[in-house]
Amino acid sequence: MSENLKNILVVKLSAIGDVIHALPVSYAIKETFPDAHLTWVVEPPAYDLLKMNPCIDEIILFEKKKFKSFSGFIKSFFPFRKELQQKSYDAVLDLQGLFKSAAIAFFAQSNIKLGICNMRELSNKVSTPVIGEHAQGHIVERYLDTARAIGCRVDKVVFPIEISAEESLKAIEIMMQAGLDESKPYVVFAIGANWNNKRWRTEFFAELGDWLYSLKVTPVIIGGGQTDFSRASDIYDLMQLPPVNLVNKTNLPQLAYVIKKSRLVIGGDTGPVHLAAGLGIRTLMLMGPTDANRNGPYGQIQNAIEVDRDCKGCWKRACPKREDCLEKISVKQVQEKILSMP
């Protein structure tokens, strides 16, 4: 591959956890090609995450909702294509591997279009899948294999995430208003997930929270949206002492600050937990429908607890057996894992 790559396009749209997994690609590109102009196409939920990444020079926002109606498509397509085609690219990396990302890669002007090893929805007809040495490994390494394919060296895996001073100060203010003193030890509970079967029971979080209080450690609940708000209320009602509740109170940079100052983050296979791993914070992931080999906390796979079921790692959004997937991960198991962490 050429050593003179000047313009590189990465297409990784969503969700937040998946975009976090792809961040080391940006570092690898800049490490190898420091003068390259790196453009990244992303959807709104992960936009703030990319704004925190100093390795990205330009962000193109893909607002999928605008393309769903015929009138919206006509109105949005040509401005988006114009922005995408303002420059030609020496390489395009489709790290999404779906029809929507393939459409973007198709209109991007480049002679080199590569994608991840397990591309779907005919995306492999636009970009060539990279079947690298990590094709059966962690998703972070699978993404990095595409960077390696354009000549990037990966001397170390870095998640480039910087929290601005302004957002840090806002986060401190939010924490203080909620009664959280960052100078004292606290553990973050990431209680939500896009898939219902990735969520640990609220009564288990409540029991664990009471136990943490007995150790002079404050439990802090994070999340966003109505479902997380309701789950946080349930946990609040079940606990002997109320936890600190930050659900719906932080944006992504502020949440990153809260996580970065914590002693430990606990939750399912979801964005905030992967964010914790990327920030180098101790991370305990509770896993059922997805597997640790591919999606566990990167660099801390030993801190994943996989449910004791024959069907674990089924990769189904809803249990065909209508069972509570993570029910068999007990509070005692989590307590023992926490106590065993260095």
Side-chain angles (χ1 to χ4, degrees), residues 162-297:
E162 293 184 356
I163 308 166
S164 70
E166 181 182 3
E167 294 291 5
S168 296
L169 289 173
K170 288 180 180 178
I172 293 170
E173 182 180 352
I174 291 167
M175 292 163 71
M176 290 177 63
Q177 289 175 348
L180 179 60
D181 183 350
E182 69 169 89
S183 67
K184 297 179 181 179
Y186 64 89
V187 169
V188 169
F189 290 173
I191 61 171
N194 288 335
W195 301 7
N196 182 59
N197 55 355
K198 288 183 180 181
R199 302 173 192 150
W200 203 38
R201 284 191 168 190
T202 53
E203 55 263 44
F204 290 177
F205 273 118
E207 184 179 343
L208 184 66
D210 285 331
W211 177 75
L212 287 170
Y213 266 133
S214 73
L215 301 177
K216 310 299 183 185
V217 177
T218 301
V220 178
I221 302 175
I222 61 168
Q226 183 57 46
T227 299
D228 288 359
F229 181 83
S230 298
R231 285 171 56 80
S233 296
D234 292 342
I235 295 169
Y236 190 97
D237 291 340
L238 288 166
M239 289 184 60
Q240 297 174 20
L241 291 174
V244 173
N245 186 359
L246 296 182
V247 173
N248 290 331
K249 293 181 180 178
T250 61
N251 62 21
L252 197 53
Q254 294 157 8
L255 177 62
Y257 183 89
V258 173
I259 287 173
K260 193 171 184 179
K261 295 298 181 179
S262 70
R263 298 292 182 89
L264 171 68
V265 174
I266 303 171
D269 178 1
T270 187
V273 184
H274 291 296
L275 177 59
L279 289 169
I281 302 304
R282 288 193 303 176
T283 305
L284 202 167
M285 187 176 289
L286 313 177
M287 307 191 72
T290 57
D291 64 277
N293 176 65
R294 182 189 186 279
N295 266 47

Side-chain angles (χ1 to χ4, degrees), residues 108-172:
Q109 299 179 79
S110 179
N111 293 324
I112 299 171
K113 297 180 181 181
L114 302 177
I116 55 175
C117 57
N118 52 331
M119 305 189 80
R120 296 178 287 158
E121 300 178 1
L122 301 178
S123 57
N124 63 323
K125 303 301 181 183
V126 176
S127 302
T128 303
V130 175
I131 314 298
E133 61 177 305
H134 304 93
Q136 301 301 317
H138 197 281
I139 189 63
V140 169
E141 293 292 347
R142 298 186 198 188
Y143 291 152
L144 284 169
D145 275 346
T146 63
R148 294 181 178 102
I150 61 170
C152 290
R153 63 177 188 267
V154 184
D155 296 332
K156 57 181 178 178
V157 178
V158 175
F159 294 79
I161 301 171
E162 293 184 356
I163 308 166
S164 70
E166 181 182 3
E167 294 291 5
S168 296
L169 289 173
K170 288 180 180 178
I172 293 170

